[in-house]
Amino acid sequence: MTDPTDRTRLIASATRRGRGRRPVAPPVERASTLLNDAPGAMRDESQGPVYGIEDLSAARELRTLLAGLEGAADAWLVPSGLAAVTVPLTALARPGDEVLTTDALYGPSRRFLRRHMGTRGVTTAFHAAAATTDGILAALTDRTRVLLIESPASLTFEMLDVPALAAACRARGVLTVMDNTWGAGLAFRPLAHGVDVSVQAVTKYVAGHSDLLMGSIAVSDPAVGRPIAETLEDLGWRVAPDDAWLALRGLRTLPLRYREQARSARIVADWLLGRPEVATVVYPALPGSPGYELWTRDYDGAASIFGLVMNGGDEAAAHALMSALALFGLGYSWGGFESLVTHETGQLAGRNSPPALAGELLRLHIGLEDPADLIADLERGLAAWGAALS
Ligand SMILES: Cc1ncc(COP(=O)(O)O)c(C=O)c1O
């Protein structure tokens, strides 16, 4: 028998676990205190965790499965996707070091670098969102300790040549940390492409149901993992057993949801491209979109989120479009089963070099609804956009 695919392994890890009559899902173990049979057993780690701050059953299984997906030696769970970015940076950068990252970085990660790291002696340098590999490498200095990669980047979805960057950084002793939320640990495996630390917001596609916050951190080199594990231990961060259980349930169906949502996203994106109100759709999985060649070369699937650049317009028209939608929720997240829309033009002002776009920028996340219904909804939205501008 050939090795089972991820899709099969995620199921088989539940149905082929243990022997005897048993539930498919592991129990939710809610515990701070774990009791022992004898004083001598209390510190015996071979009997499992000694205190509830260590991961209990669902979290342990989730870690194991995520590490397997990522091709990692180990993976850790943290209370949010943001924490998955901030913990490795806290662990790996020291006062005097510099972090290099994209100008299109996820806003709260950028805020962390400025406010938290900046006041603790770690500086940040930003490369242009659309920088070439050579341009990024030219921005490395003797002080650069970490290249923080987000590809595709937030809101404008620029793609980077991750394997080339990872190889060049390793040769120069610079560590690479990649926010791979878009690839969901599924369509892209950063560690296999030479990245040192792969992080993602489990909140999004893995959890998949918009009902919890969590992040994961995966490494292949124990020397890189040790300071991360110690930082987590020192900070006292763990995830709640119920959240781990829900995320584990989400993980079982990740490959199917991810693939189906990408299929729908492509249908909706193609339709939008044919509309006169739309200047362009920024979606690396779309032929003609920036980053399409890198996506084709490196990715085995796509997230279902993209930027929608309108032909001109203003905030009032964008709000009219959004208000006319009945199926797209107005909410800040993605990766769940439901479609969402946000208006993002204002967010670009926080960048050093905001891109010059043809018009207002919206972000669409495509869920598991029927794409034909989503298109009918967007048709209503575009009619409201037109009415607001006339
Ligand atoms: C690219 C990216 N990374 C990290 C996060 C943070 O995830 P969380 O909301 O779980 O903190 C987000 C959330 O939107 C995101 O878009």
Side-chain angles (χ1 to χ4, degrees):
M1 191 175 145
T2 55
D3 279 352
T5 61
D6 290 328
R7 185 175 150 182
T8 304
R9 259 187 287 125
L10 291 174
I11 306 293
S13 62
T15 57
R16 297 293 175 268
R17 178 173 48 84
R19 301 199 60 77
R21 186 170 298 137
R22 58 200 187 276
V24 171
V28 185
E29 293 180 312
R30 291 189 197 87
S32 53
T33 308
L34 298 163
L35 297 173
N36 297 272
D37 289 339
M42 291 181 75
R43 292 227 150 259
D44 180 0
E45 292 185 359
S46 70
Q47 293 192 28
V50 299
Y51 184 56
I53 201 158
E54 296 163 63
D55 293 317
L56 303 178
S57 55
R60 290 165 96 85
E61 184 159 352
L62 181 59
R63 277 178 68 171
T64 304
L65 287 180
L66 286 173
L69 270 187
E70 300 261 8
D74 210 345
W76 295 272
L77 304 173
V78 287
S80 68
L82 179 58
V85 177
T86 64
V87 165
L89 295 175
T90 305
L92 300 173
R94 296 267 175 277
D97 288 345
E98 186 156 272
V99 175
L100 176 63
T101 193
T102 171
D103 193 25
L105 188 69
Y106 173 58
S109 299
R110 186 185 189 115
R111 183 184 61 207
F112 166 80
L113 285 165
R114 174 177 56 78
R115 200 161 65 186
H116 185 90
M117 298 295 262
T119 53
R120 286 161 181 80
V122 177
T123 55
T124 303
F126 293 95
H127 63 74
T132 60
T133 302
D134 286 346
I136 296 170
L137 295 177
L140 295 174
T141 70
D142 290 345
R143 289 180 47 229
T144 313
R145 173 75 175 141
V146 176
L147 175 68
L148 173 60
I149 299 170
E150 199 183 291
S151 177
S154 282
L155 307 184
T156 40
F157 299 95
E158 291 85 357
M159 293 282 284
L160 302 179
D161 188 340
V162 176
L165 287 169
C169 282
R170 188 160 290 183
R172 293 181 58 161
V174 173
L175 293 165
T176 46
V177 176
M178 177 168 177
D179 182 336
N180 187 41
T181 303
W182 200 90
L186 192 69
F188 185 74
R189 325 259 168 165
L191 302 179
H193 289 280
V195 170
D196 294 300
V197 184
S198 170
V199 309
Q200 66 161 317
V202 169
T203 309
K204 314 298 181 194
Y205 287 100
V206 173
H209 295 73
S210 306
D211 51 8
L212 65 94
L213 287 151
M214 194 179 294
S216 67
I217 305 168
V219 303
S220 45
D221 180 355
V224 177
R226 196 173 315 113
I228 293 172
E230 287 172 358
T231 298
L232 274 174
E233 203 168 49
D234 293 343
L235 294 174
W237 283 1
R238 279 296 188 271
V239 302
D242 295 81
D243 286 348
W245 192 94
L246 283 171
L248 182 61
R249 177 156 78 173
L251 186 59
R252 306 284 184 211
T253 55
L254 167 70
L256 295 185
R257 286 184 287 103
Y258 191 80
R259 195 179 62 195
E260 184 63 15
Q261 287 178 236
R263 205 180 65 82
S264 295
R266 180 66 201 275
I267 293 169
V268 174
D270 280 341
W271 179 82
L272 283 166
L273 271 182
R275 294 289 308 211
E277 301 89 342
V278 173
T280 183
V281 173
V282 225
Y283 186 28
L286 198 62
S289 217
Y292 177 70
E293 286 72 27
L294 285 172
W295 176 78
T296 314
R297 188 191 74 184
D298 293 341
Y299 279 66
D300 179 21
S304 59
I305 186 167
F306 53 78
L308 182 60
V309 183
M310 304 300 289
N311 259 323
D314 54 25
E315 184 178 73
H319 286 185
L321 186 163
M322 294 163 73
S323 302
L325 297 173
L327 295 177
F328 284 81
L330 312 186
Y332 286 108
S333 195
W334 46 295
F337 58 80
E338 80 288 16
S339 291
L340 296 168
V341 59
T342 53
H343 177 222
E344 302 287 6
T345 311
Q347 302 280 341
L348 300 176
R351 295 187 183 178
N352 296 339
S353 310
L357 299 178
E360 294 298 304
L361 176 66
L362 297 165
R363 188 182 78 170
L364 293 187
H365 168 258
I366 304 301
L368 284 169
E369 304 92 338
D370 188 325
D373 293 329
L374 295 177
I375 286 173
D377 204 29
L378 287 168
E379 198 141 23
R380 280 189 291 274
L382 292 177
W385 163 274
L389 290 177
S390 61

